[in-house]
């Protein structure tokens, strides 16, 4: 499996009045093509900040301090893929990457939809932004058909004008002439064909996502849809341009269990169909076990463990992961549920060294001195804990 | 048969896409008709609009090239009471009150729309820049707003008119300069709230540019309070303009303008001792026109709020 995205030493800080919040402190993560990776952790451990940093959507007072986010992008001219560092890109280039290469599903579907626009308007926005040339192609085909039908003289003149406009748009979607034309009253109605085409595309997409009566749904406004339906629309928005990486930020945490299962099924099916990699952010370990192949556990801005899901659940290595798994209620388990003692540290003044050491039952002297690196101790199992680093050393000697 | 169906399909689609809008419009009209005060406001403004449109028919100008000049019947100082020639009587200098208030309606609409339109545009532009980008841009624009708002409105407007010279155009300019900060501040506050919404981040994540986000995603969600303020403000602006005219800073003498009509009446509010109400018409009639105009816009503003504010709309 070739790597799709690699995050190296990503650091993001928030400059607040109280001090500098070190939200991400050296995140290392990589994802293969078509992989579903779970990113697990408590609230406020930096899961969403990681997602937003990848897309460069961190708003002030937040700032990405250093690191690399290397995405392998398909080259249009030749079939090879070449890596680009997203953090070096200009805003204009990032706008082309967002929605096209990487897109994001937000947590609250009801809030991720703009209340003043119909579903169609929001889903087709992505098509209109990133798929102009393809849409033009389709529109031109339709115009040719209409011309072939041989309508009245005036109609044919209009159709020929439209054809010229769309030929031009196909060559250069951002030409200034088109920008002027799109402001002129009557003339701008040529855009209607484009919008119609985008609506056909969105209906197609929504049918693929298993939405019943998509022709009906696209006309609705967000408040007229149920929670599950809203989440599907949000997924449709994210998938419009079949991105290579989909970031799903707790897409199921506000849905009830049956809808949750449906959405998870949907995402799994999409991975099969579109070969999209999914970075699945959640705090729900059950969901991780259900859908992910690998999981990365985050704690207070560090990644503490990355492992394939089944071995992570069978034999968690990091003390935090162990604590996390023990605090999940299981049927047949008597007695009090165990919890991790202590509180999540304040990230303005995080504990030195391993950020988990004040709460760790196996704390050692050097835990508070230096941050343990994320090391591969078994095949494809990475842990950032001195407990296991020592073991490997012992094995070596 | 198929040909015919495809011909009508476009109109069917169009009709379907229009249906929710028609429903909402019906609901809006229903809202207005439910509240008698809104109806009164609407009626008042419609009447004034009719008066303004039909001014050449209601009061045919004597000199066609300068219709805003009030005709005068002699040069005597004392106003004349209403008569067959002058329906509302004449005011100081024998200016015809009827002609003045009718053509003054046009002046009032012009001042109101021009000032509010321009202040809205400037406020919208600067307010959205400040609210969306924040940081230094916000700081600069908002401190500018603070400076403008720290000087009393009327005094600043007077100073500007005095500096630019006395004319109605300069009154409009002055009111625009004085009026935009409130709009900028209002729209900035709304945008600060809206820009943190998830759908703005979602739009960014889809790849929208900043301009598109402001125009398409933020403004439609934050512009309603400003529209309400604008409709209330049309009345207020006309009042301030009248105050400036009253102080002699507005229109040239003899120009059809309610403020000036009141200004003419300044010395004739109380008549001679034996008949204190002798000249009542000079002050009352332009005063009433102003009163109903402002009242109309205020009631209409309330109606707009009921319709446009989604929190009040469905009550």
């Amino acid at each position: 499996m070739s790597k799709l995205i690699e995050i190296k030493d990503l650091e993001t800080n928030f400059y607040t009045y109280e001090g500098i919040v070190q939200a991400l402190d050296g995140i290392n993560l990589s994802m293969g093509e078509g992989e579903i990776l779970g990113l697990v952790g408590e609230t406020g451990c930096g899961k969403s900040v990681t997602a937003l940093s990848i897309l460069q959507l961190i708003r002030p007072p937040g700032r990405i301090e250093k690191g690399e986010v290397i995405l392998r992008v398909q080259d249009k001219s030749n079939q090879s893929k070449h890596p680009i560092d997203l953090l070096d890109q200009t805003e204009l280039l990032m706008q082309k990457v967002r929605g096209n290469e990487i897109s994001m599903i937000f947590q609250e579907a009801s809030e991720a939809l703009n209340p003043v626009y119909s579903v169609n308007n929001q889903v087709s926005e992505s098509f209109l932004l990133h798929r102009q040339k393809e849409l033009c192609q389709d529109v031109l085909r339709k115009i040719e058909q209409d011309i072939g039908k041989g309508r009245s003289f005036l109609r044919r003149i209009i159709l020929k004008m439209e054809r010229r406009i769309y030929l031009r748009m196909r060559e250069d979607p951002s030409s200034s002439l088109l920008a002027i034309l799109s402001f002129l009253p009557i003339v701008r109605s040529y855009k209607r064909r484009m919008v119609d085409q985008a609506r056909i595309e969105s209906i197609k997409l929504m049918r693929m996502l298993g939405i019943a009566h998509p022709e009906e749904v696209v006309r609705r406004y967000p408040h007229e849809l149920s929670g599950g339906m809203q989440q599907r629309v949000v997924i449709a928005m994210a998938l419009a341009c079949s991105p290579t990486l989909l970031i799903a930020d707790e897409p199921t945490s506000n849905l009830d269990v049956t809808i949750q299962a449906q959405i998870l099924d949907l995402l799994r099916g999409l991975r099969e169909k579109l070969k999209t990699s999914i970075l699945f952010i959640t705090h729900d370990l059950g969901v991780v076990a259900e859908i992910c192949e690998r999981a990365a556990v985050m704690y207070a801005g560090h990644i503490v463990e990355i492992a394939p899901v089944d071995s992570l659940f069978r034999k968690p290595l990091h003390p935090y992961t162990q604590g996390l798994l023990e605090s999940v209620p299981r049927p047949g388990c008597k007695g009090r549920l165990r919890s991790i003692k202590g509180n999540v540290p304040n990230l303005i003044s995080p504990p030195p060294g391993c950020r988990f050491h004040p709460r760790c039952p196996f704390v050692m002297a050097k835990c508070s001195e230096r941050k343990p690196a994320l090391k591969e101790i078994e095949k494809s199992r990475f842990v950032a804990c001195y407990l296991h680093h020592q073991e490997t050393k012992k094995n070596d000697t | 048969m198929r040909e015919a169906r495809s011909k009508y399909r476009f109109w069917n689609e169009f009709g379907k896409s229009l249906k929710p809008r028609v429903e909402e419009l019906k609901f809006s009209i229903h809202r207005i008709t439910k509240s008698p005060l809104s109806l009164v406001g609407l009626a008042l403004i419609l009447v004034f609009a009719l008066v303004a449109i039909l001014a050449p028919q209601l009061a045919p100008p004597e000199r066609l090239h300068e219709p805003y000049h009030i005709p005068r019947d002699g040069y005597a100082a004392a106003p004349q009471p209403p008569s067959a020639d002058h329906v509302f009587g004449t005011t100081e200098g024998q200016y015809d009150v009827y002609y003045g208030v009718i053509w003054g309606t046009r002046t009032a609409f012009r001042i109101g729309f021009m000032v509010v339109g321009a202040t809205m545009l400037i406020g919208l532009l600067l307010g959205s820049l400040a609210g969306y980008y924040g940081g230094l841009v916000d700081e600069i624009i908002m401190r500018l707003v603070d400076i403008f708002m720290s000087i009393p409105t009327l005094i600043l407007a007077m100073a500007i008119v005095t500096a630019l010279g006395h004319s109605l155009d300069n009154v409009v300019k002055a009111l625009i300069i004085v009026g935009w900060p409130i709009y900028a501040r209002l729209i900035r506050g709304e945008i600060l709230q809206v820009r943190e919404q998830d759908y703005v981040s979602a739009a960014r994540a889809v790849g929208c540019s900043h301009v598109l986000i402001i125009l398409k995603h933020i403004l439609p969600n934050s512009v309603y309070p400003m529209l309400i303020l604008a409709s209330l403000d049309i009345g207020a602006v006309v009042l301030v303009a009248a105050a400036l005219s009253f102080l002699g800073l507005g229109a040239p003498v003899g120009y059809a303008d309610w403020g000036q009509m009141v200004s003419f009446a300044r010395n004739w509010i109380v008549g001679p001792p034996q008949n204190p109400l002798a000249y009542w018409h000079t002050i009352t009639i332009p005063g009433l026109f102003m009163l109903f105009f402002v009242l109309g816009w205020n009631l209409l503003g309330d109606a707009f709020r009921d319709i446009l504010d989604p929190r009040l709309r469905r009550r």
Side-chain angles (χ1 to χ4, degrees), chain A residues 374-390:
Chain A
L374 196 65
K375 276 189 188 163
E376 185 166 17
I377 58 152
E378 281 170 35
K379 192 177 176 297
S380 69
R381 293 206 65 170
F382 298 81
V383 172
C385 184
Y386 288 122
L387 221 58
H388 302 284
H389 292 178
Q390 273 174 337

Side-chain angles (χ1 to χ4, degrees), chain B residues 13-32:
Chain B
E13 279 293 308
F14 185 66
K16 268 186 195 164
S17 73
L18 222 57
K19 208 179 152 204
R21 280 154 219 238
V22 174
E23 296 275 299
E24 289 300 295
L25 185 70
K26 269 188 197 161
F27 182 75
S28 300
I29 294 169
H30 170 76
R31 269 303 315 212
I32 292 190

Side-chain angles (χ1 to χ4, degrees), chain A residues 142-152 155-156 159, chain B residues 2-3 6-7 9:
Chain A
K142 281 210 167 156
I143 293 176
E144 291 297 344
Q145 277 176 13
D146 282 359
I147 290 179
K149 271 183 196 163
R151 303 227 177 151
S152 68
R155 181 87 183 124
R156 283 174 79 152
L159 282 171
Chain B
R2 181 174 293 163
E3 184 65 17
S6 75
K7 202 172 177 182
R9 209 180 59 206

Side-chain angles (χ1 to χ4, degrees), chain A residues 114-339:
Chain A
N114 194 332
V116 300
Y117 292 113
S118 65
V119 167
N120 164 46
N121 209 318
Q122 306 194 44
V123 177
S124 50
E125 181 161 48
S126 192
F127 287 116
L128 292 172
L129 282 169
H130 300 295
R131 290 281 179 270
Q132 278 180 321
K133 287 190 178 173
E134 287 82 347
L135 287 178
C136 282
Q137 196 65 47
D138 292 340
V139 167
L140 279 168
R141 206 172 303 133
K142 281 210 167 156
I143 293 176
E144 291 297 344
Q145 277 176 13
D146 282 359
I147 290 179
K149 271 183 196 163
R151 303 227 177 151
S152 68
F153 181 63
L154 191 71
R155 181 87 183 124
R156 283 174 79 152
I157 290 179
I158 294 173
L159 282 171
K160 280 186 179 154
M161 287 295 287
E162 279 186 326
R163 183 169 62 179
R164 285 182 73 171
I165 292 173
Y166 277 106
L167 278 171
R168 180 142 193 156
M169 198 194 278
R170 194 176 59 181
E171 294 304 310
D172 175 19
S174 56
S175 92
S176 50
L177 180 76
L178 288 173
I180 297 167
L181 281 182
S182 66
F183 271 107
L184 296 177
I186 304 168
V187 181
R188 66 197 268 192
S189 63
Y190 78 84
K191 286 169 92 179
R192 211 192 59 230
R193 279 181 182 273
M194 194 87 163
V195 173
D196 281 352
Q197 193 61 40
R199 194 183 66 211
I200 292 169
E201 294 290 325
S202 0
I203 291 175
K204 227 187 265 173
L205 175 69
M206 289 170 75
R207 186 169 291 130
M208 195 189 81
L209 292 181
I211 294 173
H213 312 297
E215 300 86 356
E216 218 23 70
V217 173
V218 288
R219 220 173 279 133
R220 301 267 183 87
Y221 282 81
H223 68 268
E224 299 175 302
L225 303 175
S226 68
M229 203 62 112
Q230 285 175 342
Q231 191 64 63
R232 279 163 209 256
V233 171
V234 170
I235 292 175
M237 274 170 74
L239 285 176
C241 295
S242 37
T244 49
L245 173 63
L246 178 67
I247 301 171
D249 189 356
E250 312 210 9
T252 57
S253 47
N254 289 311
L255 303 173
D256 59 46
V257 193
T258 48
I259 309 286
Q260 187 172 326
Q262 284 175 11
I263 298 284
L264 291 183
D265 268 347
L266 179 67
L267 287 175
R268 209 181 294 122
L270 286 173
R271 197 266 306 261
E272 302 300 324
K273 247 186 259 174
L274 305 173
K275 303 275 172 289
T276 306
S277 311
I278 302 176
L279 177 62
F280 200 96
I281 299 174
T282 183
H283 57 252
D284 188 338
L285 290 166
V287 171
V288 172
E290 170 81 25
I291 190 170
C292 300
E293 282 138 16
R294 288 196 304 148
V297 182
M298 272 191 94
Y299 179 77
H302 286 167
I303 287 189
V304 294
E305 184 166 358
I306 305 177
V309 165
D310 44 346
S311 53
L312 183 86
F313 278 84
R314 210 172 302 126
K315 189 183 150 216
L317 293 179
H318 196 279
Y320 175 67
T321 320
Q322 291 165 3
L324 207 60
L325 286 172
E326 276 168 11
S327 53
V328 177
R330 281 162 215 263
C333 178
K334 298 259 164 64
R336 275 181 74 90
L337 202 61
R338 285 221 255 156
S339 63

Side-chain angles (χ1 to χ4, degrees), chain A residues 90-107:
Chain A
T90 57
E91 173 66 23
L92 209 66
L93 265 162
M94 274 314 289
Q95 281 168 11
K96 288 201 178 124
V97 170
R98 292 184 201 125
N100 201 6
E101 301 286 343
I102 308 178
S103 60
M104 187 160 168
I105 302 173
F106 284 82
Q107 184 172 354

